[in-house]
Amino acid sequence: WLMRQVGRYLPEYRAVRARVADFIALATTPELAAEVTLQPLRRYGMDAAILFSDILMLPWALGQGLEYREGEGPVLPPIRDAAAVATLDPGRVAGALMPIMETVQRVRAEVGDATLIGFAGSPFTVACYMVEGGGSRDFAYTRTMAYGNPALFRRLLDLLTDATVGYLSAQINAGAEAVMLFDSWAGILSPTLFRVHVISPTARIVAALQERHPGIPVIGFPRLAGTLIGEYARETNVRAVGLDTAADPALAATLVPGGVALQGNLDPLALVAGGAGMAAETQGIIAALHGRPHIFNLGHGIVPGTPPEHVAQLVQLVRAAG
Ligand code: 1CP
């Protein structure tokens, strides 16, 4: 399967997306969300489906406003002080996210032999968007809060950690067979804060899920973690670690314990290019991870301009190598 295998690069996704007003309407209409979740399996025969939703549906469910603006991405009213944190209401999460659980049930009923992966953002990455009020190149407000008001930042992260356990647990109860934690901005922290805000909440989430749902694997994706990926894998107990594009698979294989699967890590832009360049990169990654559990994937999500036929070529290359 591939990160962001559902989305704008697929004409059949754009057709469904055109039937609703916005992204939130699509994510909360189970019939349509289930349909788009299954699109890449129908087109390419992927071995896993990833729930169609977004990491920001959790802040939305907590009562923080959320809007997806065309060409601009997500926009939220920033949370930067204690009064704003106090407006977040964990009590409304389960009810608000009920349509997403119905999507999980629908997909599970139709997914056949493929694996259904549920997901959430990691508490740190979700906090980045909540504090900043949307995407950012450097998440300056968030990092400044983490250093300058550690008690408040900690309170926000604790609230998100508890809510994420409940959210992922509900997805598993609805039929998710594995879950992934997207920590897209893990790499912007100092090593000290990486331990506090990335490793520690992730370890808490994995432990709570293992207790409630023994045997359900958790895939962690601490993007741009560099050499801290080994410590992340050892301390969090995830069953698989996603490698970002910049990670050297051979080095990662020496840092991460042998029983932990590695997932990744073709550059999404190599997929845009296709052809011989993509094939060489793909073969290099497969060779570097030969002999250990490897889930072939990208190093980050598929980008909108990706030609769908390049994805078909990639699936063929990976199948031929396996
Ligand atoms: O209408 C649209 O098509 C909007 C585009 C879109 C899509 C298709 C957004 C807005 N989210 C999604 C779906 C999505 N997002 C999925 C499920 C489908 C799949 O993987 O195939 C997943 C797993 C995500 C996860 C996600 N959302 C992450 C983590 C992974 C990553 O890409 O780093 C992040 C950071 C987001 C936030 C987000 N949502 C959407 C956008 C454009 C963004 C990025 C904003 C930014 O940082 O600028």
Side-chain angles (χ1 to χ4, degrees):
W1 73 281
L2 299 174
M3 290 194 279
R4 285 280 175 102
Q5 62 189 14
V6 176
R8 283 179 196 281
Y9 79 104
L10 286 177
E12 59 268 36
Y13 171 83
R14 295 195 297 271
V16 175
R17 173 69 183 75
R19 291 166 56 185
V20 292
D22 57 25
F23 180 89
I24 295 175
L26 183 52
T28 54
T29 306
E31 187 195 344
L32 299 183
E35 168 58 26
V36 297
T37 297
L38 290 163
Q39 285 174 344
L41 281 77
R42 298 203 177 106
R43 188 187 264 259
Y44 304 115
M46 295 294 184
D47 56 5
I50 181 153
L51 167 68
F52 179 79
S53 178
D54 194 68
I55 65 165
L56 301 179
M57 294 308 288
L58 185 60
W60 174 80
L62 284 162
Q64 187 176 11
L66 171 65
E67 225 188 300
Y68 290 90
R69 297 196 186 141
E70 291 307 320
E72 207 188 319
V75 181
L76 311 90
I79 300 252
R80 297 198 186 146
D81 56 25
V85 173
T87 64
L88 300 171
D89 181 4
R92 63 193 297 289
V93 170
L97 296 176
M98 215 103 88
I100 293 177
M101 303 314 148
E102 192 187 327
T103 303
V104 174
Q105 287 168 347
R106 281 174 181 256
V107 174
R108 182 63 192 274
E110 287 189 54
V111 82
D113 289 339
T115 303
L116 172 54
I117 303 171
F119 75 92
S122 76
F124 174 68
T125 286
V126 173
C128 281
Y129 289 91
M130 293 174 80
V131 172
E132 220 70 24
S136 165
R137 280 168 57 147
D138 56 6
F139 292 93
Y141 286 108
T142 311
R143 285 152 66 205
T144 306
M145 191 203 275
Y147 294 106
N149 195 344
L152 182 63
F153 197 68
R154 188 62 178 260
R155 200 181 326 146
L156 177 60
L157 274 264
D158 282 346
L159 181 152
L160 289 171
T161 301
D162 292 339
T164 302
V165 169
Y167 181 34
L168 289 175
S169 186
Q171 291 181 36
I172 294 165
N173 286 332
E177 300 166 280
V179 293
M180 177 152 166
L181 269 176
F182 286 89
D183 214 338
S184 306
W185 300 105
I188 67 176
L189 289 172
S190 71
T192 308
L193 288 200
F194 180 91
R195 293 184 177 106
V196 176
H197 297 308
V198 173
I199 291 182
S200 165
T202 302
R204 261 181 67 198
I205 291 167
V206 173
L209 292 176
Q210 266 171 1
E211 198 180 308
R212 294 191 198 181
H213 312 278
I216 295 286
V218 181
I219 308 166
F221 179 49
R223 196 169 75 91
L224 301 176
T227 51
L228 285 168
I229 198 143
E231 190 176 329
Y232 174 92
R234 285 194 306 277
E235 303 289 326
T236 63
N237 270 317
V238 291
R239 276 273 292 281
V241 176
L243 305 180
D244 60 72
T245 299
D248 176 0
L251 176 61
T254 67
L255 296 171
V256 172
V260 179
L262 296 172
Q263 174 175 284
N265 69 340
L266 181 71
D267 189 337
L269 279 301
L271 182 58
V272 172
M278 174 176 84
E281 284 286 323
T282 300
Q283 275 141 12
I285 292 163
I286 292 171
L289 294 176
H290 184 75
R292 65 175 292 157
H294 177 206
I295 304 162
F296 189 88
N297 209 305
L298 302 178
H300 202 181
I302 290 182
V303 300
T306 303
E309 43 311 343
H310 291 181
V311 177
Q313 286 167 16
L314 178 62
V315 169
Q316 231 174 17
L317 279 170
V318 175
R319 292 237 165 87

